[in-house]
Amino acid sequence: MNTPETALACRPGCGACCTAPSITSPIPGMPHGKPAGVRCIQLGDDNFCLIFGKPERPAFCGGLQPSQEMCGPSREHAMLWLDTLERATAPMLRA
């Protein structure tokens, strides 16, 4: 867990946390949420959230905080880490 002393700032130009995970709650412009691997419609061209700090931002997004473990040294690391977490926590499909 991040504390004020250990909290990381988002890596400029990354946007991995707005692309890799699925979001099941409504997002402005994406009323059914978004599937994993799909870029959020609220992710600007600069890869910063257009609704950051606004009440319409999903709680999931506010709860996902950057960390050294998740973000690592690159966007590619973050995408892989988040994809692995997404697959590990996805509900199992019944045959």
Side-chain angles (χ1 to χ4, degrees), residues 12-61:
C14 181
C17 60
C18 301
T19 306
S22 60
I23 300 175
T24 57
S25 55
I27 302 165
M30 300 179 101
H32 304 291
K34 67 168 228 52
V38 172
R39 183 180 174 88
C40 180
I41 197 167
Q42 296 298 331
L43 187 60
D45 291 339
D46 59 359
N47 282 343
F48 284 104
C49 179
L50 299 173
I51 57 173
F52 186 86
K54 295 184 179 176
E56 58 269 25
R57 184 176 182 222
F60 170 84
C61 300

Side-chain angles (χ1 to χ4, degrees), residues 8 66-72 77-78 81:
L8 292 180
S67 69
Q68 185 59 44
E69 180 183 26
M70 178 176 77
C71 300
H77 172 94
W81 194 92

